[in-house]
């Protein structure tokens, strides 16, 4: 008797491969362990510097990198553009204690898929990882509310502005 092949359920699909880049070992290790408990997430490693992330991305092949802003050898946000060249499909979520507007804007301009404060809940971190993996942006509502006016001020008048109807 032959059995028809079954279609893979979501739980049987490949897990989201996550690399945690943070120089605080206890934080990074704890976060990696919490993520590892999720059935759809696999922690593939921890890096404590930009240089370590640069070395690990080609070997661990992460789908998502959780990146701190301040690292011992440089600015994690500024490194996103370079690190993306190592594996184009990798998405970056900035997870940092710094919620300064300029850091948020720089992260978005560098191509980050998400931006979260370290004070956010673990559920929000897990959601940001899943959103980034799905190609969605993940920014907390409070930070988004601060970001939008800055982007509006940066627009130049004239071409590209929306009509009153489009704004509606």
């Amino acid at each position: 008797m032959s059995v028809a092949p079954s279609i893979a359920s979501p739980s049987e699909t490949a897990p989201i491969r996550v690399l945690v880049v943070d120089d605080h070992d206890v934080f990074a290790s704890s976060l990696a362990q919490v993520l590892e408990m999720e059935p759809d997430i696999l922690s593939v490693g921890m890096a404590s510097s930009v240089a370590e992330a640069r070395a690990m991305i080609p070997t661990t092949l992460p789908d998502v990198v959780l990146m701190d802003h301040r690292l011992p050898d440089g600015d994690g946000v500024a490194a996103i553009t370079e690190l993306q060249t190592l594996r184009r499909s990798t998405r970056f979520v900035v997870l940092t204690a710094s919620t300064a507007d300029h850091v948020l804007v720089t992260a978005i301009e560098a191509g980050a898929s998400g931006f979260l404060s370290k004070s956010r809940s673990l559920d929000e971190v897990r959601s940001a990882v899943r959103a980034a993996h799905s190609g969605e942006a993940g920014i907390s509502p409070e930070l988004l509310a601060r970001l939008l006016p800055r982007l509006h001020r940066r627009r130049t008048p004239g071409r590209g502005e929306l009509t009153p109807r489009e704004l509606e």
Side-chain angles (χ1 to χ4, degrees):
M1 174 175 173
S2 84
V3 178
S6 64
I7 298 173
S9 70
S11 63
E12 294 173 354
T13 60
I16 303 168
R17 300 172 60 82
V18 177
L19 174 65
V20 177
V21 182
D22 196 292
D23 60 326
H24 294 96
D25 290 337
V26 171
F27 176 80
S29 178
S30 298
L31 183 57
Q33 286 180 343
V34 167
L35 292 173
E36 188 74 26
M37 289 183 201
E38 296 297 308
D40 61 333
I41 299 175
L42 174 65
S43 175
V44 295
M46 295 177 297
S48 60
S49 67
V50 172
E52 284 183 21
R54 189 180 300 115
M56 291 181 75
I57 288 173
T59 58
T60 61
L61 306 173
D63 298 310
V64 177
V65 173
L66 287 172
M67 174 73 77
D68 193 7
H69 166 55
R70 292 187 185 108
L71 295 166
D73 61 345
D75 182 335
V77 170
I80 290 173
T81 303
E82 174 208 346
L83 295 174
Q84 281 180 324
T85 65
L86 300 174
R87 187 165 194 260
R88 296 262 181 226
S89 63
T90 297
R91 308 271 191 230
F92 288 79
V93 174
V94 176
L95 182 61
T96 182
S98 174
T99 58
D101 288 353
H102 74 279
V103 177
L104 172 59
V105 170
T106 303
I108 299 306
E109 288 174 344
S113 297
F115 190 99
L116 289 173
S117 165
K118 286 183 177 177
S119 65
R120 305 309 297 185
S121 72
L122 287 170
D123 283 340
E124 288 177 83
V125 174
R126 288 186 284 252
S127 293
V129 166
R130 290 180 179 113
H133 183 255
S134 297
E136 300 170 10
I139 301 174
S140 68
E142 303 84 35
L143 294 176
L144 188 57
R146 288 184 9 217
L147 174 66
L148 292 177
R150 283 186 62 114
L151 295 177
H152 178 72
R153 283 187 304 232
R154 295 172 90 179
R155 274 196 357 218
T156 56
R159 282 181 48 136
E161 286 195 24
L162 299 176
T163 66
R165 178 68 178 161
E166 289 171 327
L167 287 171
E168 221 176 87

